Amino acid sequence: PRLMMIIIGCGAGAGIAGIFKAPVGGMMFTLEVMGMQMTTVSVIALTIACVIGGMTSYGMTGFTLDVPLTHPQYFDPHMSGWIIVIGVLCGLYSLYYSYAGGLTGRLFARIRSPWLKALASGGILSVLVFLFPALYGEGYTTMAHLIDGSFHVMTDFGLWHTNGAPSLETVVLVCGGVAAVKGIACTATNSGGGVAGDFAPTLFAGCMAGFFIGALLNDMFGLSLPLGNCALIAMAGTMAGIIKAPLMAMFIVVEMTGYYGMMFPVAICSVISYAGLCLKK
Protein backbone atom coordinates (compact mmCIF):
# COMPACT_ATOMS: atom_id res chain seq x y z
CA PRO A 1 0.00 0.00 0.00
CA ARG A 2 2.83 2.44 0.77
CA LEU A 3 4.43 1.91 -2.64
CA MET A 4 1.05 2.18 -4.33
CA MET A 5 0.55 5.62 -2.75
CA ILE A 6 3.98 6.67 -4.01
CA ILE A 7 3.15 5.47 -7.53
CA ILE A 8 -0.18 7.37 -7.50
CA GLY A 9 1.59 10.51 -6.29
CA CYS A 10 4.25 10.16 -9.00
CA GLY A 11 1.60 9.75 -11.67
CA ALA A 12 -0.34 12.79 -10.49
CA GLY A 13 2.79 14.94 -10.24
CA ALA A 14 4.08 13.84 -13.63
CA GLY A 15 0.66 14.59 -15.13
CA ILE A 16 0.72 18.17 -13.81
CA ALA A 17 4.35 18.52 -14.89
CA GLY A 18 3.43 17.43 -18.42
CA ILE A 19 0.30 19.58 -18.70
CA PHE A 20 2.02 22.79 -17.60
CA LYS A 21 5.57 21.82 -18.64
CA ALA A 22 6.53 22.54 -15.04
CA PRO A 23 8.46 19.69 -13.37
CA VAL A 24 8.95 21.46 -10.04
CA GLY A 25 5.34 22.64 -10.07
CA GLY A 26 4.22 19.04 -10.51
CA MET A 27 6.33 17.98 -7.55
CA MET A 28 4.87 20.72 -5.38
CA PHE A 29 1.35 19.66 -6.38
CA THR A 30 1.91 16.14 -5.09
CA LEU A 31 3.53 17.34 -1.87
CA GLU A 32 1.14 20.22 -1.11
CA VAL A 33 -2.22 19.21 -2.53
CA MET A 34 -2.04 15.42 -2.28
CA GLY A 35 0.03 15.47 0.90
CA MET A 36 2.48 12.70 -0.04
CA GLN A 37 4.96 11.92 2.73
CA MET A 38 8.46 13.30 2.14
CA THR A 39 10.53 10.16 2.50
CA THR A 40 13.74 9.60 0.56
CA VAL A 41 12.21 6.99 -1.75
CA SER A 42 9.06 8.99 -2.46
CA VAL A 43 10.85 12.28 -3.17
CA ILE A 44 13.44 10.65 -5.48
CA ALA A 45 10.73 8.76 -7.37
CA LEU A 46 8.58 11.89 -7.61
CA THR A 47 11.48 13.99 -8.88
CA ILE A 48 12.37 11.50 -11.61
CA ALA A 49 8.74 11.11 -12.71
CA CYS A 50 8.04 14.86 -12.83
CA VAL A 51 11.25 15.74 -14.66
CA ILE A 52 10.68 13.05 -17.29
CA GLY A 53 6.98 13.95 -17.63
CA GLY A 54 7.64 17.66 -17.97
CA MET A 55 10.57 17.33 -20.34
CA THR A 56 8.75 14.78 -22.52
CA SER A 57 5.84 17.18 -22.95
CA TYR A 58 8.24 20.08 -23.53
CA GLY A 59 10.18 18.19 -26.20
CA MET A 60 7.13 16.81 -28.03
CA THR A 61 5.56 20.28 -28.32
CA GLY A 62 8.56 21.79 -30.07
CA PHE A 63 10.35 23.05 -26.95
CA THR A 64 7.86 25.90 -26.58
CA LEU A 65 6.48 27.56 -23.45
CA ASP A 66 2.75 27.73 -22.79
CA VAL A 67 2.90 31.46 -22.04
CA PRO A 68 5.69 32.71 -24.33
CA LEU A 69 6.64 36.32 -23.59
CA THR A 70 8.43 38.42 -26.20
CA HIS A 71 9.10 41.42 -23.98
CA PRO A 72 11.40 40.73 -21.00
CA GLN A 73 9.89 41.13 -17.56
CA TYR A 74 12.19 42.67 -14.96
CA PHE A 75 11.35 43.20 -11.32
CA ASP A 76 11.85 46.64 -9.80
CA PRO A 77 12.81 46.23 -6.10
CA HIS A 78 11.19 49.60 -5.34
CA MET A 79 7.76 48.05 -5.84
CA SER A 80 8.33 45.36 -3.19
CA GLY A 81 5.95 47.01 -0.74
CA TRP A 82 3.18 47.11 -3.32
CA ILE A 83 3.68 43.40 -4.01
CA ILE A 84 2.37 42.82 -0.49
CA VAL A 85 -0.71 44.91 -1.30
CA ILE A 86 -1.24 42.94 -4.52
CA GLY A 87 -0.91 39.71 -2.53
CA VAL A 88 -3.60 40.81 -0.07
CA LEU A 89 -5.91 41.82 -2.91
CA CYS A 90 -5.25 38.50 -4.65
CA GLY A 91 -6.30 36.74 -1.45
CA LEU A 92 -9.54 38.73 -1.37
CA TYR A 93 -10.15 37.99 -5.03
CA SER A 94 -9.53 34.29 -4.36
CA LEU A 95 -12.33 34.37 -1.79
CA TYR A 96 -14.66 35.98 -4.32
CA TYR A 97 -13.67 33.51 -7.06
CA SER A 98 -14.33 30.54 -4.78
CA TYR A 99 -17.62 31.99 -3.54
CA ALA A 100 -18.89 32.73 -7.06
CA GLY A 101 -17.88 29.29 -8.24
CA GLY A 102 -19.39 27.58 -5.21
CA LEU A 103 -22.68 29.45 -5.61
CA THR A 104 -22.85 28.53 -9.29
CA GLY A 105 -22.11 24.90 -8.45
CA ARG A 106 -24.91 24.78 -5.85
CA LEU A 107 -27.37 26.21 -8.35
CA PHE A 108 -26.44 23.55 -10.90
CA ALA A 109 -26.72 20.83 -8.24
CA ARG A 110 -30.44 21.61 -7.97
CA ILE A 111 -30.95 20.73 -11.64
CA ARG A 112 -31.62 17.00 -11.91
CA SER A 113 -31.80 16.56 -15.67
CA PRO A 114 -28.40 16.39 -17.44
CA TRP A 115 -30.04 17.89 -20.52
CA LEU A 116 -31.20 20.95 -18.59
CA LYS A 117 -27.74 21.24 -17.03
CA ALA A 118 -26.15 21.21 -20.48
CA LEU A 119 -28.61 23.83 -21.75
CA ALA A 120 -28.09 26.05 -18.71
CA SER A 121 -24.33 25.72 -19.00
CA GLY A 122 -24.36 26.48 -22.71
CA GLY A 123 -26.66 29.46 -22.22
CA ILE A 124 -24.52 31.00 -19.49
CA LEU A 125 -21.31 30.48 -21.44
CA SER A 126 -22.84 31.88 -24.64
CA VAL A 127 -23.77 35.12 -22.90
CA LEU A 128 -20.44 35.43 -21.09
CA VAL A 129 -18.31 34.69 -24.15
CA PHE A 130 -20.39 37.15 -26.18
CA LEU A 131 -19.72 39.85 -23.59
CA PHE A 132 -16.08 38.88 -23.00
CA PRO A 133 -14.60 36.88 -25.92
CA ALA A 134 -11.31 36.56 -24.00
CA LEU A 135 -13.03 33.84 -21.93
CA TYR A 136 -12.97 31.49 -24.92
CA GLY A 137 -10.36 28.74 -24.73
CA GLU A 138 -7.56 28.21 -22.23
CA GLY A 139 -6.38 31.81 -22.48
CA TYR A 140 -2.62 31.18 -22.63
CA THR A 141 -2.18 33.33 -25.74
CA THR A 142 -4.33 36.06 -24.22
CA MET A 143 -2.24 36.06 -21.06
CA ALA A 144 1.01 36.27 -23.03
CA HIS A 145 -0.23 39.20 -25.12
CA LEU A 146 -1.61 41.06 -22.11
CA ILE A 147 1.63 40.71 -20.12
CA ASP A 148 3.62 41.77 -23.19
CA GLY A 149 1.49 44.88 -23.56
CA SER A 150 -0.39 43.85 -26.74
CA PHE A 151 -3.77 45.06 -25.54
CA HIS A 152 -5.58 44.50 -28.82
CA VAL A 153 -6.13 40.86 -27.87
CA MET A 154 -8.71 42.01 -25.31
CA THR A 155 -10.74 44.13 -27.74
CA ASP A 156 -10.38 42.48 -31.14
CA PHE A 157 -13.81 40.85 -30.98
CA GLY A 158 -17.27 41.43 -29.61
CA LEU A 159 -18.66 44.58 -28.05
CA TRP A 160 -15.22 46.00 -27.32
CA HIS A 161 -13.89 46.03 -30.88
CA THR A 162 -12.20 49.24 -31.97
CA ASN A 163 -10.68 50.18 -35.30
CA GLY A 164 -7.56 51.69 -33.77
CA ALA A 165 -5.50 50.81 -30.74
CA PRO A 166 -7.70 50.27 -27.66
CA SER A 167 -7.45 52.70 -24.79
CA LEU A 168 -5.95 51.55 -21.52
CA GLU A 169 -9.22 52.35 -19.74
CA THR A 170 -11.13 49.98 -22.03
CA VAL A 171 -8.61 47.18 -21.53
CA VAL A 172 -8.72 47.62 -17.75
CA LEU A 173 -12.52 47.51 -17.81
CA VAL A 174 -12.53 44.32 -19.89
CA CYS A 175 -9.96 42.69 -17.57
CA GLY A 176 -12.08 43.55 -14.55
CA GLY A 177 -15.18 42.09 -16.18
CA VAL A 178 -13.40 38.90 -17.18
CA ALA A 179 -11.99 38.47 -13.66
CA ALA A 180 -15.46 39.00 -12.19
CA VAL A 181 -17.14 36.24 -14.23
CA LYS A 182 -14.31 33.73 -14.73
CA GLY A 183 -15.22 31.67 -11.65
CA ILE A 184 -18.85 31.50 -12.80
CA ALA A 185 -17.87 30.48 -16.33
CA CYS A 186 -15.47 27.80 -15.10
CA THR A 187 -17.96 26.22 -12.71
CA ALA A 188 -20.79 26.42 -15.24
CA THR A 189 -18.63 24.54 -17.74
CA ASN A 190 -17.65 21.80 -15.29
CA SER A 191 -21.17 21.47 -13.86
CA GLY A 192 -22.82 21.29 -17.27
CA GLY A 193 -20.77 18.35 -18.52
CA GLY A 194 -17.81 20.19 -20.00
CA VAL A 195 -14.21 20.32 -18.84
CA ALA A 196 -12.86 23.73 -17.88
CA GLY A 197 -10.17 22.41 -15.55
CA ASP A 198 -9.35 23.62 -12.07
CA PHE A 199 -5.79 24.98 -12.19
CA ALA A 200 -5.44 26.75 -15.56
CA PRO A 201 -8.55 28.92 -15.01
CA THR A 202 -7.06 30.30 -11.79
CA LEU A 203 -3.95 31.41 -13.69
CA PHE A 204 -6.06 33.16 -16.31
CA ALA A 205 -8.27 34.79 -13.69
CA GLY A 206 -5.20 35.92 -11.76
CA CYS A 207 -3.67 37.49 -14.86
CA MET A 208 -6.84 39.51 -15.52
CA ALA A 209 -7.23 40.46 -11.86
CA GLY A 210 -3.57 41.45 -11.57
CA PHE A 211 -3.75 43.76 -14.56
CA PHE A 212 -6.92 45.34 -13.16
CA ILE A 213 -5.43 45.70 -9.66
CA GLY A 214 -2.21 47.23 -10.99
CA ALA A 215 -4.11 49.80 -13.06
CA LEU A 216 -6.34 50.59 -10.09
CA LEU A 217 -3.37 51.17 -7.78
CA ASN A 218 -1.67 53.35 -10.39
CA ASP A 219 -4.78 55.49 -10.75
CA MET A 220 -5.55 55.77 -7.03
CA PHE A 221 -2.05 56.49 -5.75
CA GLY A 222 -0.35 58.03 -8.78
CA LEU A 223 2.03 55.10 -9.20
CA SER A 224 3.71 53.69 -12.27
CA LEU A 225 3.60 49.97 -11.50
CA PRO A 226 4.36 47.87 -14.62
CA LEU A 227 1.04 46.24 -15.42
CA GLY A 228 2.72 43.26 -17.08
CA ASN A 229 4.53 42.50 -13.84
CA CYS A 230 1.33 42.90 -11.85
CA ALA A 231 -0.52 40.47 -14.14
CA LEU A 232 2.25 37.86 -13.99
CA ILE A 233 2.66 38.13 -10.21
CA ALA A 234 -1.07 37.92 -9.54
CA MET A 235 -1.28 34.68 -11.54
CA ALA A 236 0.61 32.98 -8.73
CA GLY A 237 -1.17 34.87 -5.96
CA THR A 238 -4.60 33.89 -7.23
CA MET A 239 -3.70 30.26 -7.82
CA ALA A 240 -2.15 30.04 -4.35
CA GLY A 241 -5.31 31.44 -2.77
CA ILE A 242 -7.80 29.31 -4.70
CA ILE A 243 -5.92 25.99 -4.85
CA LYS A 244 -4.29 26.50 -1.41
CA ALA A 245 -0.87 25.60 -2.80
CA PRO A 246 1.58 28.55 -2.73
CA LEU A 247 4.71 26.59 -3.66
CA MET A 248 3.00 24.92 -6.59
CA ALA A 249 1.66 28.27 -7.78
CA MET A 250 4.96 30.13 -7.71
CA PHE A 251 6.88 27.42 -9.56
CA ILE A 252 4.19 26.81 -12.19
CA VAL A 253 4.07 30.52 -13.07
CA VAL A 254 7.83 30.95 -13.52
CA GLU A 255 8.15 27.65 -15.37
CA MET A 256 5.27 28.40 -17.76
CA THR A 257 6.68 31.83 -18.63
CA GLY A 258 10.38 31.01 -18.34
CA TYR A 259 11.09 34.09 -16.21
CA TYR A 260 12.77 32.67 -13.13
CA GLY A 261 14.04 36.16 -12.32
CA MET A 262 10.49 36.99 -11.21
CA MET A 263 10.60 34.32 -8.51
CA PHE A 264 11.04 36.82 -5.65
CA PRO A 265 7.89 38.92 -6.24
CA VAL A 266 5.93 35.83 -7.29
CA ALA A 267 6.88 34.10 -4.03
CA ILE A 268 5.92 37.13 -1.93
CA CYS A 269 2.53 37.46 -3.60
CA SER A 270 1.78 33.73 -3.32
CA VAL A 271 2.68 33.53 0.35
CA ILE A 272 0.79 36.72 1.28
CA SER A 273 -2.33 35.59 -0.56
CA TYR A 274 -2.24 32.13 1.03
CA ALA A 275 -1.34 33.45 4.50
CA GLY A 276 -4.27 35.87 4.41
CA LEU A 277 -6.69 33.02 3.75
CA CYS A 278 -5.16 30.96 6.56
CA LEU A 279 -5.54 33.85 9.00
CA LYS A 280 -9.17 34.23 7.95
CA LYS A 281 -9.84 30.65 8.99
Side-chain angles (χ1 to χ4, degrees):
R2 186 179 70 87
L3 292 178
M4 180 59 69
M5 292 302 298
I6 293 175
I7 292 173
I8 292 174
C10 290
I16 294 295
I19 291 171
F20 294 101
K21 303 175 188 175
V24 182
M27 292 174 58
M28 294 301 105
F29 165 77
T30 301
L31 297 175
E32 282 187 305
V33 179
M34 297 189 66
M36 188 174 78
Q37 294 183 350
M38 293 183 64
T39 63
T40 302
V41 173
S42 63
V43 171
I44 291 177
L46 177 63
T47 301
I48 295 173
C50 289
V51 169
I52 293 177
M55 291 300 100
T56 299
S57 175
Y58 185 57
M60 296 187 70
T61 53
F63 298 97
T64 57
L65 298 172
D66 283 337
V67 186
L69 303 179
T70 57
H71 297 289
Q73 297 293 315
Y74 300 107
F75 173 62
D76 183 0
H78 294 93
M79 65 179 292
S80 298
W82 292 104
I83 298 301
I84 298 176
V85 176
I86 295 175
V88 172
L89 294 177
C90 283
L92 294 176
Y93 174 70
S94 299
L95 291 175
Y96 165 76
Y97 182 99
S98 300
Y99 174 79
L103 180 61
T104 305
R106 289 191 293 273
L107 292 176
F108 270 90
R110 297 179 181 180
I111 304 175
R112 300 298 180 184
S113 171
W115 296 101
L116 290 179
K117 281 187 177 182
L119 287 173
S121 174
I124 291 173
L125 292 174
S126 297
V127 173
L128 294 180
V129 171
F130 175 77
L131 294 174
F132 304 106
L135 288 169
Y136 186 78
E138 292 178 326
Y140 289 160
T141 302
T142 302
M143 288 189 287
H145 282 296
L146 189 64
I147 295 173
D148 275 335
S150 301
F151 300 150
H152 65 88
V153 72
M154 302 299 297
T155 59
D156 270 352
F157 307 98
L159 301 175
W160 311 98
H161 178 70
T162 56
N163 292 326
S167 65
L168 180 61
E169 291 77 12
T170 301
V171 176
V172 171
L173 182 62
V174 174
C175 286
V178 172
V181 301
K182 181 59 180 178
I184 299 173
C186 179
T187 305
T189 303
N190 290 331
S191 300
V195 181
D198 293 313
F199 297 159
T202 65
L203 295 171
F204 181 79
C207 182
M208 299 295 124
F211 192 93
F212 179 81
I213 290 170
L216 191 64
L217 292 175
N218 284 345
D219 184 65
M220 292 178 61
F221 300 101
L223 304 173
S224 57
L225 299 177
L227 299 183
N229 276 8
C230 294
L232 189 148
I233 292 166
M235 288 168 59
T238 302
M239 179 182 238
I242 297 172
I243 306 299
K244 309 296 189 300
L247 293 176
M248 171 189 172
M250 65 178 73
F251 279 105
I252 278 185
V253 168
V254 298
E255 286 181 299
M256 288 183 71
T257 59
Y259 280 90
Y260 294 87
M262 295 293 292
M263 176 61 80
F264 176 69
V266 164
I268 292 178
C269 187
S270 299
V271 171
I272 293 296
S273 176
Y274 176 73
L277 296 178
C278 291
L279 291 176
K280 176 184 176 293
K281 294 181 179 180

